[in-house]
Amino acid sequence: MVKIYAPASIGNVSVGFDVLGAAVSPVDGSLLGDCVSVEAAEHFSLTNAGRFVSKLPADPKENIVYQCWQRFCEAVGKEIPVAMTLEKNMPIGSGLGSSACSVVAGLVAMNEFCGKPLDDSTLLTLMGELEGRISGSVHYDNVAPCFLGGIQLMLQENEIISQAVPGFDDWLWVMAYPGIKVSTAEARAILPAQYRKDECIKHGRLLAGFIHACHTRQPLLAAKLMQDVIAEPYRTRLLPGFAEARQAAKDIGALACGISGSGPTLFAVCNQMETAQRMADWLSQHYLQNDEGFVHICRLDTAGARQLG
Ligand SMILES: Nc1ncnc2c1ncn2[C@@H]1O[C@H](COP(=O)(O)OP(=O)(O)O)[C@@H](O)[C@H]1O
Ligand SMILES: N[C@@H](CCOP(=O)(O)O)C(=O)O
C-alpha cells in the first residue's frame, strides 16, 4: 500500500497571478492537505473519507481523483486495477489549492504504486491538465508547489514548467479560511479580459522585484512588493470582511497580506511568532464566518508531496 500526503498551497502569492505559488504546512505539525492511498485490487474502486467528504461531487466520476486514475492509466497505456482511498481533509473552493491537493496526491500515489513509470515533468504536466479541467484553464501555481514544495515560479519554457524561488526561513504564513466557498472558475470569470498599460508595467515591476528580492535575500523589500494588481481589486467583493482584515494586518504589524488563490482564504506574512499569534487571534475572532472556518500559523512546506506509508 502507498499513502501520499499533498500539502495546501497559496496560489499567486499576491504578486504572481497564475505564475507563483507556495506550499504551506502548520507549525504545530498537523497536516493541512489531502491524502490518497493506493493498494492492489481485482477491480478499480475509489473510497472517500475525511472531514470534507460530504462536499465532494455526488457523481464519483466527477471526483478529480477518479479522473487522475483514468488519465494515469491512459498515460502508461494500461488499465491498472487498484483500490484508491481519498482522505478529503481540505475544504473545497477554499483558495487553499484543494483540488490540487487531490490531483497531486492521486497522481503521485499511482506513480509510486506502479514503480515510478512517469518522470516529474510528465507528472506535473498531467497535474496541470487535470487542474485545468476544474478551474477552466491550465494554471500550475497550486499543483507545482503542492508537488515540489516551497515557492515555485512557473517558467513554462525550454521544457521547464516550474523552478524554486528561495523563501525566507523566519516568515510565518497565517492562513485564515472563513468557512464559505468561492469557486475558482467563477473567481477567474470575473477578471477583466484586458489590462491597461500602466497596470501591466506595475505588475511586471512588482513580480520581477519580488523574485529579485528573494534571490538577493531582502525580506522586507520582498514583502513590500507582494501586491496584487491583477486579481485582488476585482475579487475583494467576493470576500466578506477582507478589507477590514487587510487593515488589521497592517495595524498588527504583518509584513504582507493577500488572498490565497482565488479566496476566500486570506494569508498574512509575519516575521515574529508573537505578531503571527495576534494576527491569528484577530482573524479567528473577525474573519471566520462559521464553524467550518479555521486559522493556522504555517511555514513554507519545502518537502511538497510525500509518502506517509
Ligand atoms: N477531489 C476533489 N477535491 C476538490 N474538488 C473536487 C474534487 N473532485 C472534484 N472536485 C470539484 O472541483 C471543484 C473545486 O473547486 P475549486 O473552486 O477549484 O476549489 P479549490 O480552489 O479549493 O481547489 C468543485 O466543483 C469540486 O466539486
Ligand atoms: N491562480 C489561480 C489560483 C487558484 O487557486 P485556488 O486555491 O483558489 O484554486 C487563480 O487565482 O485563479
Side-chain angles (χ1 to χ4, degrees):
M1 199 262 276
V2 168
K3 180 172 178 175
I4 300 295
Y5 165 72
S9 55
I10 304 171
N12 307 328
V13 199
S14 292
V15 68
F17 184 78
D18 274 2
V19 298
L20 196 67
V24 289
S25 278
V27 291
D28 65 10
S30 57
L31 295 181
L32 183 63
D34 287 349
C35 292
V36 171
S37 311
V38 174
E39 52 194 322
E42 282 184 20
H43 306 284
F44 172 78
S45 66
L46 172 59
T47 306
N48 298 312
R51 178 165 173 207
F52 292 97
V53 66
S54 65
K55 312 278 170 160
L56 286 167
D59 178 357
K61 293 195 171 169
E62 279 181 27
N63 189 327
I64 199 70
V65 174
Y66 169 78
Q67 296 182 30
C68 285
W69 170 77
Q70 217 180 23
R71 188 66 187 81
F72 182 87
C73 292
E74 195 186 304
V76 297
K78 60 176 183 241
E79 190 164 311
I80 302 157
V82 286
M84 297 182 84
T85 303
L86 165 65
E87 276 173 50
K88 190 68 217 169
N89 304 321
M90 296 296 288
I92 292 174
S94 56
L96 288 161
S98 172
S99 44
C101 286
S102 284
V103 165
V104 170
L107 284 172
V108 173
M110 282 304 298
N111 202 44
E112 290 293 328
F113 179 81
C114 295
K116 296 195 178 186
L118 304 183
D119 61 26
D120 282 3
S121 174
T122 308
L123 273 178
L124 190 49
T125 305
L126 291 186
M127 289 165 184
E129 180 191 318
L130 284 149
E131 176 80 323
R133 288 189 197 177
I134 281 183
S135 66
S137 54
V138 175
H139 60 94
Y140 292 96
D141 53 325
N142 289 119
V143 287
C146 178
F147 178 35
L148 302 168
I151 301 179
Q152 294 285 329
L153 175 68
M154 304 321 124
L155 299 170
Q156 293 171 253
E157 292 293 348
N158 285 0
E159 294 173 16
I160 299 164
I161 296 178
S162 168
Q163 280 186 354
V165 174
F168 300 101
D169 291 344
D170 60 341
W171 279 15
L172 297 159
W173 303 71
V174 184
M175 310 295 301
Y177 164 61
I180 57 169
K181 183 178 170 185
V182 169
S183 150
T184 305
E186 285 166 26
R188 293 176 78 78
I190 63 164
L191 300 181
Q194 269 113 32
Y195 289 86
R196 290 194 319 264
K197 186 166 75 178
D198 62 318
E199 291 167 331
C200 297
I201 293 168
K202 185 169 182 187
H203 174 64
R205 175 174 67 78
L206 294 168
L207 179 56
F210 176 81
I211 301 299
H212 168 77
C214 288
H215 281 284
T216 52
R217 314 314 294 149
Q218 302 183 71
L220 296 181
L221 179 62
K224 195 74 198 275
L225 291 162
M226 284 168 71
Q227 300 170 40
D228 179 356
V229 293
I230 301 292
E232 194 178 298
Y234 306 95
R235 288 177 170 171
T236 305
R237 67 181 166 82
L238 304 176
L239 313 177
F242 182 80
E244 293 80 359
R246 179 176 248 311
Q247 184 58 47
K250 208 170 168 187
D251 297 343
I252 288 169
L255 301 180
C257 173
I259 304 172
S260 179
S262 61
T265 295
L266 170 153
F267 75 87
V269 176
C270 303
N271 59 0
Q272 306 274 348
M273 183 50 90
E274 195 208 331
T275 319
Q277 193 57 62
R278 281 175 54 216
M279 191 71 232
D281 293 344
W282 190 95
L283 291 165
S284 300
Q285 282 162 30
H286 302 283
Y287 193 64
L288 304 197
Q289 304 267 323
N290 57 46
D291 289 351
E292 287 195 350
F294 53 72
V295 178
H296 284 290
I297 299 176
C298 298
R299 284 194 195 277
L300 282 182
D301 183 313
T302 51
R306 48 197 178 267
Q307 193 159 345
L308 294 186

